[in-house]
Amino acid sequence: MSQIALNRTVWISSAKGAVLPIATLLLVMLMVVPVPALLLDIGFITNIMISLAVLMVALNVARPLDFSSFPTVLLFATLLRLALNVASTRVVLVSGHEGSDAAGHVIEAFGSFLIGGDYAVGLFVFAILMIINLIVITKGAGRVSEVSARFTLDAMPGKQMAIDADLNAGLLTPEEAKLRRQEVATEADFYGSMDGASKFVKGDAIAGVLILVVNILGGLILGTLSHGMGIGEAASAYVLLAIGDALVAQVPALLLSIAAAAIVTRVNSPTDLSGQITSQIGSARAWTPVAGILLVLGLLPGMPHMIILPAAALAGFAAWKMRKSEKSSAAEAAEPEPEPSPSAIGWDEVSDDAALGLELGYGLIGLVDERKGAPLMARITGIRRQLSRELGFVIPLVRVRDDMSLAPNSYRISVGGVVVGEDEVWPEDLLALDSGDLVDRIDGRQVKDPTFGLDAVWIAPAKRAEAVVAGYTVVDPATVVATHLNQIVQTAAAELFGMDETQKLLDALKENAPQLVANLTPQPLALASIAALCRALLAEGVPLKDFRRIAEAMADAARDENDPVQLIEAVRQRIGALIVQTLVPVKMPLSVVTLDAGLESLLNQAVRTGREAVHPIEPGLAQRIVQAVGEIAGPLLNQGRRFAVVTSPVARRALARLLAPHMPDVPVLSFLEIPDGKAVEVVAVVGGETHQPMLASEVAA
């Protein structure tokens, strides 16, 4: 049964795809092949039906792009009408002398019933329809289409930049940004097509006039010369059929012109055109003056009182109903929401899914108050954008809220619900940081900088110039909080990265390297394994900016390693150049601290012996290593000098875990992670003496 259903689905899809080519072929046949009057009647009724359907769709869409196929529909509807005109012209000129029903009953009805059989009246009616269609509706719609197309194309760069800005700020996911870019492109294509489609409508109206003239002149000539009719008899027969033919074509043309005008003059709205107009003109303030003016007109002498006064009463009744409805809506909006029952507990009270949180005491609310410029929010957005670029994934939104349990000037930063930082700032003061090279001291509230632990002092804004002259670095309270948040986010990058972020990185990579992603996941590595590898890299300060190269390293390493720990080390060795370039520029040597050969051998032996242990190094030895590396690292860090501790691949992970809690800014590399051509300067040896610069291959040896 499933195979039968599949075959049926394929057949239906193929049949739908063949409708348009077959319809186009029939249009061509209508122009070149003689058709009987019955088929003409069917064609004219179909034309009117299609025009009405298009008009109804145009009136009910909420925005123009909801009917994006309208330009193409307009083209084929115009071609259908012109094909019918050609076919009816052939029938009128060949068989017009046979009577009023020679060209079908539809043309006869339009020629006899609608204009009373008087072709002079028909000419005037047709002329009025042409003026309305060509001069008013078509010309206006064409002008609106032209201006809309121009403005839409001019606005495209700005819209694209806005989408990129929202994407960089984390307000949009890559999928949402892609959809919005497609919508902007579709909007430009639509209005450009409508600018051209409006020319179809105008050309169709002009063609209607020319076809009428041809039918009248041709009928008079053929009637008098070929069929021996008098000029009056020929005019009565042929002109009546020609006008009926013109009217039966111009009615659907007028409907399509109205549809085109309605589409191009629409403004995006959540409701259809009827709802939009009703909501905007249904105002009591508009209809009350209307009722008053009509009442005054109805009381003037000589006016048709029995017509104007009921109209005034109707307008007054409408205004009263609208005012009543507006008061009811305002009362409903003003009603306070019912307070929840004390026994009711919501999920939002027991869970918090924010990855990053910033809680402020009530004294710091001014830092996020939009009326005061919200300086802290602007800095948080800038931090997220900058860190997203540096780390290679979008940093999640920071949920900022007040907490009455905090001291007025206190703030608290949490990651995944765990508080990782808190301090106090004074929103009306400035923080002066001791740069270590002060000319003079300044009085104020002595504190420690929450980010770097530097000596600092809170001062009044009036003392800014004095503090700068004394050698202090002066920052505002919003910058203090934002800098603290920046440091915490950098430290907790691995905790902010999960499987959702991993999937987004893979989806973005799949667009440019589909085979790489196909050979990486789900085999040999599952999504959870890739996420764990990425978190391990982020935990040791390795960004994911060049995710393609990292993914290639993962796919390559996964062929040789199954153990998760060894897999991480294998990946690090393959992206060693990426790791090293985050430490020093390309042309500068990498400053390293190495271990004495005896100590290196001791570490390797400890790791091999306690392979399953989290910390395999003996506590006493571990303490001496931390102390020795700390004595070497302290002066280097105070100088702002970047360096790395280099050890063997076997001991690298254990040594990195040992040093991370004490010196998180000191990376630990293995010899195999340093590119062979990279110059290395050994600044110290734990248990030995400082050496001169040498190549990485020499250090490894």
Side-chain angles (χ1 to χ4, degrees):
M1 291 297 292
S2 59
Q3 184 62 37
I4 295 175
L6 179 61
N7 293 337
R8 183 180 180 184
T9 303
V10 172
W11 183 86
I12 292 175
S13 177
S14 302
K16 289 181 178 180
V19 170
L20 196 57
I22 293 175
T24 306
L25 182 60
L26 291 177
L27 289 180
V28 176
M29 291 180 63
L30 274 177
M31 295 182 184
V32 297
V33 177
V35 295
L38 178 61
L39 287 181
L40 272 182
D41 289 343
I42 296 174
F44 284 128
I45 296 301
T46 303
N47 188 21
I48 295 173
M49 179 179 63
I50 292 174
S51 301
L52 285 171
V54 171
L55 177 61
M56 292 303 105
V57 174
L59 295 179
N60 286 285
V61 295
R63 55 182 191 149
L65 287 185
D66 291 341
F67 196 8
S68 58
S69 62
F70 181 74
T72 306
V73 172
L74 188 62
L75 167 64
F76 281 99
T78 303
L79 289 178
L80 173 61
R81 191 164 52 256
L82 292 176
L84 289 172
N85 281 139
V86 173
S88 62
T89 296
R90 182 186 298 108
V91 175
V92 168
L93 295 180
V94 172
S95 307
H97 63 285
E98 297 177 1
S100 59
D101 61 347
H105 296 291
V106 175
I107 291 178
E108 180 186 15
F110 273 80
S112 301
F113 177 74
L114 294 183
I115 61 176
D118 189 340
Y119 60 82
V121 175
L123 285 173
F124 290 118
V125 172
F126 178 76
I128 292 172
L129 286 177
M130 288 302 304
I131 292 171
I132 294 173
N133 190 12
L134 185 60
I135 304 300
V136 181
I137 301 176
T138 303
K139 186 175 182 179
R143 179 58 178 165
V144 173
S145 299
E146 181 182 351
V147 174
S148 299
R150 185 184 307 164
F151 285 177
T152 302
L153 290 174
D154 290 344
M156 273 192 70
K159 292 180 179 179
Q160 295 283 7
M161 292 175 64
I163 294 171
D164 292 339
D166 289 346
L167 178 62
N168 293 333
L171 302 178
L172 292 176
T173 64
E175 293 79 9
E176 292 171 338
K178 184 177 180 180
L179 290 176
R180 286 184 57 178
R181 290 192 186 98
Q182 290 177 349
E183 185 175 346
V184 170
T186 302
E187 183 181 21
D189 293 341
F190 173 78
Y191 283 108
S193 300
M194 281 303 302
D195 185 24
S198 62
K199 305 300 187 295
F200 296 148
V201 179
K202 182 178 180 180
D204 178 45
I206 296 174
V209 177
L210 297 178
I211 291 172
L212 175 64
V213 173
V214 169
N215 283 342
I216 292 176
L217 293 179
L220 292 176
I221 294 172
L222 290 174
T224 54
L225 298 181
S226 299
H227 303 292
M229 302 172 65
I231 187 68
E233 184 183 2
S236 177
Y238 284 97
V239 175
L240 193 63
L241 289 175
I243 294 173
D245 179 33
L247 288 176
V248 80
Q250 282 307 306
V251 168
L254 183 61
L255 295 177
L256 286 180
S257 298
I258 296 172
I263 282 289
V264 298
T265 55
R266 280 302 310 270
V267 177
N268 288 343
S269 169
T271 61
D272 58 16
L273 187 58
S274 299
Q276 187 178 2
I277 294 175
T278 302
S279 64
Q280 294 177 0
I281 70 171
S283 171
R285 290 183 298 177
W287 285 97
T288 301
V290 171
I293 294 172
L294 287 177
L295 178 62
V296 172
L297 287 176
L299 296 176
L300 292 177
M303 289 291 178
H305 310 297
M306 299 307 295
I307 298 176
I308 298 179
L309 291 178
L314 182 61
F317 176 75
W320 174 74
K321 291 291 289 183
M322 292 173 187
R323 187 177 300 278
K324 185 177 179 181
S325 177
E326 290 172 359
K327 288 182 179 179
S328 176
S329 300
E332 291 179 2
E335 283 185 7
E337 295 184 3
E339 295 186 1
S341 170
S343 61
I345 301 177
W347 283 104
D348 57 344
E349 298 181 55
V350 298
S351 64
D352 186 358
D353 58 354
L356 284 171
L358 174 61
E359 299 172 358
L360 304 174
Y362 68 84
L364 303 181
I365 294 178
L367 297 178
V368 295
D369 190 349
E370 292 185 358
R371 293 172 295 180
K372 298 181 180 181
L376 180 56
M377 299 305 297
R379 284 174 172 79
I380 290 176
T381 302
I383 287 172
R384 290 182 58 242
R385 180 180 294 111
Q386 181 63 30
L387 288 179
S388 296
R389 292 171 179 168
E390 291 179 358
L391 297 176
F393 69 96
V394 177
I395 301 299
L397 292 172
V398 180
R399 177 176 291 177
V400 182
R401 57 187 178 186
D402 61 321
D403 189 342
M404 300 302 294
S405 65
L406 290 175
N409 294 337
S410 297
Y411 68 90
R412 180 186 297 153
I413 302 173
S414 60
V415 177
V418 178
V419 177
V420 293
E422 57 184 350
D423 213 294
E424 285 186 311
V425 294
W426 278 259
E428 305 299 329
D429 293 341
L430 300 174
L431 184 65
L433 301 172
D434 185 351
S435 60
D437 189 18
L438 299 180
V439 177
D440 193 9
R441 295 282 177 179
I442 191 169
D443 295 331
R445 188 181 294 105
Q446 301 290 331
V447 295
K448 288 285 187 181
D449 169 51
T451 305
F452 306 107
L454 301 176
D455 292 331
V457 57
W458 285 99
I459 61 174
K463 294 184 178 181
R464 175 195 286 269
E466 180 183 351
V468 172
V469 172
Y472 286 93
T473 301
V474 182
V475 294
D476 59 88
T479 302
V480 174
V481 178
T483 305
H484 194 188
L485 177 65
N486 179 75
Q487 182 207 35
I488 287 177
V489 172
Q490 284 183 316
T491 305
E495 300 178 42
L496 299 175
F497 189 88
M499 285 193 284
D500 289 332
E501 287 75 15
T502 306
Q503 186 63 58
K504 290 175 182 177
L505 282 178
L506 291 171
D507 291 341
L509 180 61
K510 192 173 183 179
E511 295 183 4
N512 299 321
Q515 290 301 319
L516 173 58
V517 176
N519 284 276
L520 176 63
T521 185
Q523 291 295 333
L525 294 176
L527 182 66
S529 299
I530 299 175
L533 286 169
C534 292
R535 283 196 295 269
L537 294 174
L538 289 170
E540 296 197 47
V542 181
L544 306 177
K545 288 190 297 183
D546 194 351
F547 186 67
R548 176 169 183 163
R549 187 166 178 179
I550 294 173
E552 290 174 347
M554 290 180 181
D556 188 23
R559 290 195 295 266
D560 303 325
E561 295 288 349
N562 294 322
D563 181 67
V565 174
Q566 296 304 319
L567 183 59
I568 292 173
E569 296 303 308
V571 170
R572 287 182 58 93
Q573 293 169 15
R574 286 166 171 81
I575 61 169
L578 291 178
I579 299 175
V580 171
Q581 75 177 11
T582 63
L583 302 177
V584 292
V586 177
K587 296 183 179 180
M588 289 184 60
L590 173 64
S591 300
V592 300
V593 173
T594 61
L595 305 182
D596 181 69
L599 180 58
E600 189 87 53
S601 177
L602 192 60
L603 282 180
N604 292 340
Q605 183 179 355
V607 171
R608 291 190 179 97
T609 303
R611 183 176 295 274
E612 302 299 329
V614 177
H615 296 288
I617 304 175
E618 190 270 328
L621 176 61
Q623 183 177 0
R624 291 194 297 273
I625 292 175
V626 171
Q627 182 178 358
V629 175
E631 292 175 355
I632 295 172
L636 294 173
L637 293 176
N638 291 335
Q639 298 172 10
R641 189 171 179 181
R642 296 299 303 273
F643 69 96
V645 176
V646 178
T647 184
S648 67
V650 175
R652 193 212 69 83
R653 184 172 178 81
L655 186 59
R657 283 189 172 184
L658 174 64
L659 298 179
H662 308 282
M663 289 164 279
D665 295 330
V666 177
V668 179
L669 309 180
S670 75
F671 297 127
L672 298 180
E673 294 173 15
I674 305 176
D676 291 339
K678 182 67 178 179
V680 174
E681 180 183 2
V682 180
V683 295
V685 178
V686 178
E689 298 180 355
T690 302
H691 290 68
Q692 295 300 318
M694 59 186 70
L695 293 178
S697 56
E698 297 173 346
V699 174

